C-alpha cells in the first residue's frame, strides 16, 4: 500500500493560483466547451468517466488532464456515479446564457489571445501594439478580421450574441420616446438596430459600418424582414459625413475602442449631424468613476488597450460624460442596467 504523507497547508491560496496560471484555467474552460463536456453533463448529469471519454473521443491521459482541470476549477463535480456540471455552470444553461458563454470562449480564444501578449508593451507605449499580431494592414482589428472569413464569423458570432443580450437592456432602459430616426455609429451586424426597430414600430435605424460588415448586416436585416426600416450604409465613422436626417445618434460598444481625443472626434461628428434638441445615446459596459471595478470592466479592457483600435478601455461613466459636455452636449443622464450580467449602462445627452 502507498503511504500518504499529511498535506502541508497551501502556501499559495487557490485564488492567487487561478490568477497566476489564469491562462491555463481559461484553456480548460475552452477545452470543456469545445469538446462538448459541459453540454454532455447538462444532457446526462452523472455520466461516468469512461462514458465521458468515449463521448468526447479522448484517450486515457487527455481525459485525466481534462477532468483534473475542470474539477479543480470547480466547473465540474465528481459524484458517486460520475460527473455533473457545477451549479454555476448549470445555471448558465438554465438561464439561457450558454450560447453567450460559447461565443465569449470563441472570441477570447481566437480573437483576443494572439494580441494580448503585447499588453504590457501597449501600456508602456500608450497604444495598441498588439494589433501587429493580426495579418493585414487594416487600421483596426475589425478591418483586419473582415479580411478573414473564419475570424469574421467567430467575431460577429460573439459580438451579435453579446449585443443580443445587451439589446434587452437597451430596450428595457433606453428612452426612445422622442426618437424617430436613429443613426447607429459602427452598428456591427445590425443586432442592436434590429432589436430597436423590432421594439419600436415607428422608428427607423441607419447602421454605419465598414464594407465587409455592411454585407453581413444587410443579410441579417433582410432575414429579420426589416429592410423597410433598417438601412445599412457603408462609411468611415471618423470621416464626419454622417448620413443626414437623424434625431438620435447611438454609439453601442463603440467608444471603448478609442483614446479620449478620438472619442471627442466621434461625439463631435454626432453632435454636428444632429438638429437642436437631438439626442445622443451611449450603451456600454462601464467602469466605476474611481476605476476600482467592476471586475468584468477591468478584464474586458486589455483587448481595447492592446488590440482593437488605437488604444481604449472600458472608461468610467464620468469619462464619457466629460467628453459629451466638451463637444457641446447638455442634460447628460446616466442609467444603470441593473439586472445585466455585465456592467452595462446608458448615457444620454441632448444637443
Ligand atoms: C465592438 S464592435 C460593436 C458593434 C455594434 N455596435 C454592437 O454593439 O454589436 C465595433 C464596430 O465598429 C466598427 N468600426 C470600427 N471602426 C470603424 C470605422 N472607422 N468606420 C466604420 N465602422 C467602424 C467595426 O467594424 C465594428 O463592427
Amino acid at each position: 500500500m502507498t503511504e500518504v504523507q499529511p498535506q502541508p497547508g497551501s502556501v499559495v491560496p487557490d485564488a492567487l493560483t487561478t490568477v497566476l496560471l489564469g491562462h491555463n484555467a481559461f484553456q480548460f474552460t475552452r477545452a470543456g466547451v469545445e469538446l462538448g463536456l459541459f453540454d454532455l453533463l447538462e444532457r446526462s448529469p452523472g455520466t461516468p468517466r469512461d462514458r465521458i471519454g468515449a463521448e468526447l473521443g479522448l484517450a486515457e491521459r487527455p481525459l485525466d488532464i481534462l477532468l483534473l482541470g475542470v474539477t479543480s476549477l470547480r466547473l465540474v463535480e465528481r459524484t458517486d456515479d460520475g460527473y455533473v456540471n457545477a451549479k454555476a455552470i448549470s445555471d448558465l444553461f438554465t438561464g439561457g446564457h450558454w450560447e453567450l458563454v460559447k461565443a465569449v470562449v470563441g472570441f477570447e480564444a481566437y480573437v483576443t489571445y494572439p494580441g494580448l501578449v503585447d499588453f504590457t508593451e501597449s501600456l508602456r507605449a500608450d497604444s495598441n501594439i498588439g494589433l501587429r499580431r493580426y495579418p493585414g494592414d487594416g487600421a483596426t482589428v475589425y478591418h483586419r478580421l473582415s479580411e478573414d472569413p473564419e475570424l469574421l464569423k467567430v467575431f460577429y458570432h460573439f459580438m451579435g450574441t453579446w449585443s443580443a443580450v445587451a439589446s434587452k437592456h437597451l430596450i428595457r432602459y433606453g428612452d426612445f420616446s422622442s426618437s424617430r430616426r436613429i443613426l447607429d455609429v459602427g452598428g456591427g451586424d445590425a443586432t442592436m438596430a434590429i432589436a430597436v426597430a423590432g421594439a419600436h414600430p415607428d422608428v427607423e435605424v441607419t447602421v454605419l459600418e465598414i464594407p465587409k460588415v455592411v454585407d453581413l448586416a444587410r443579410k441579417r436585416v433582410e432575414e429579420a424582414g426589416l429592410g423597410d426600416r433598417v438601412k445599412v450604409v457603408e462609411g468611415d465613422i471618423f470621416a464626419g459625413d454622417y448620413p443626414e436626417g437623424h434625431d438620435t445618434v447611438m454609439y453601442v460598444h463603440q467608444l471603448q475602442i478609442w483614446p479620449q481625443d478620438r472619442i471627442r472626434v466621434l461625439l463631435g461628428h454626432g453632435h454636428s449631424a444632429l438638429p437642436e434638441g437631438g439626442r445622443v445615446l451611449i450603451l456600454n459596459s462601464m467602469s466605476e468613476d474611481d476605476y476600482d471595478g467592476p471586475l468584468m470592466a477591468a478584464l474586458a479592457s486589455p483587448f481595447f488597450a492592446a488590440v482593437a483600435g488605437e488604444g481604449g478601455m472600458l472608461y468610467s461613466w464620468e469619462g464619457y460624460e466629460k467628453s459629451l459636455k466638451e463637444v457641446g452636449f447638455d442634460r447628460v443622464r446616466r442609467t444603470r442596467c441593473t439586472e445585466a450580467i455585465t456592467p452595462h449602462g446608458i448615457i444620454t445627452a441632448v444637443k
Side-chain angles (χ1 to χ4, degrees), residues 57-140:
L58 293 184
E60 293 289 317
R61 187 184 52 84
L63 181 60
D64 281 341
I65 298 175
L66 182 64
L67 291 176
L68 169 66
V70 293
T71 50
S72 302
L73 286 164
R74 301 194 180 92
L75 302 172
V76 163
E77 285 165 15
R78 199 154 64 81
T79 63
D80 291 344
D81 309 327
Y83 292 85
V84 294
N85 282 333
K87 184 172 178 310
I89 297 289
S90 249
D91 286 350
L92 289 166
F93 277 96
T94 48
H97 296 306
W98 193 247
E99 203 46 43
L100 179 64
V101 171
K102 289 205 302 203
V104 171
V105 165
F107 170 67
E108 291 296 325
Y110 300 101
V111 182
T112 299
Y113 262 69
L116 262 278
V117 293
D118 287 323
F119 179 51
T120 309
E121 203 45 42
S122 300
L123 293 181
R124 275 204 189 100
D126 190 17
S127 180
N128 59 327
I129 304 292
L131 186 64
R132 65 184 173 183
R133 307 282 168 182
Y134 302 78
D137 55 6
T140 72

Side-chain angles (χ1 to χ4, degrees), residues 86-262:
K87 184 172 178 310
I89 297 289
S90 249
D91 286 350
L92 289 166
F93 277 96
T94 48
H97 296 306
W98 193 247
E99 203 46 43
L100 179 64
V101 171
K102 289 205 302 203
V104 171
V105 165
F107 170 67
E108 291 296 325
Y110 300 101
V111 182
T112 299
Y113 262 69
L116 262 278
V117 293
D118 287 323
F119 179 51
T120 309
E121 203 45 42
S122 300
L123 293 181
R124 275 204 189 100
D126 190 17
S127 180
N128 59 327
I129 304 292
L131 186 64
R132 65 184 173 183
R133 307 282 168 182
Y134 302 78
D137 55 6
T140 72
V141 77
Y142 310 103
H143 293 82
R144 296 191 187 195
L145 295 179
S146 77
E147 300 302 321
D148 179 330
E150 268 314 298
L151 279 183
L152 188 71
K153 217 159 92 189
V154 170
F155 177 72
Y156 282 99
H157 174 54
F158 158 71
M159 201 63 247
T161 314
W162 187 265
S163 290
V165 173
S167 72
K168 298 205 173 79
H169 309 312
L170 184 61
I171 301 307
R172 167 136 195 226
Y173 294 101
D175 174 8
F176 291 100
S177 54
S178 61
S179 300
R180 289 294 168 274
R181 296 203 64 212
I182 301 172
L183 177 64
D184 187 359
V185 179
D189 69 356
T191 296
M192 209 53 78
I194 290 169
V196 173
H200 298 281
D202 323 337
V203 163
E204 292 177 20
V205 188
T206 308
V207 173
L208 185 60
E209 258 296 344
I210 61 177
K212 292 273 169 51
V213 184
V214 161
D215 299 340
L216 209 78
R218 283 193 180 138
K219 191 158 164 278
R220 297 225 40 235
V221 171
E222 201 182 309
E223 284 163 5
L226 284 168
D228 55 334
R229 289 192 293 119
V230 179
K231 301 269 172 288
V232 185
V233 175
E234 187 181 317
D236 179 355
I237 59 176
F238 284 101
D241 52 349
Y242 286 1
E244 290 176 356
H246 297 91
D247 53 40
T248 305
V249 177
M250 187 160 88
Y251 301 86
V252 180
H253 305 138
Q254 178 58 241
L255 300 178
Q256 84 281 3
I257 299 171
W258 312 103
Q260 287 286 2
D261 58 332
R262 301 288 276 162

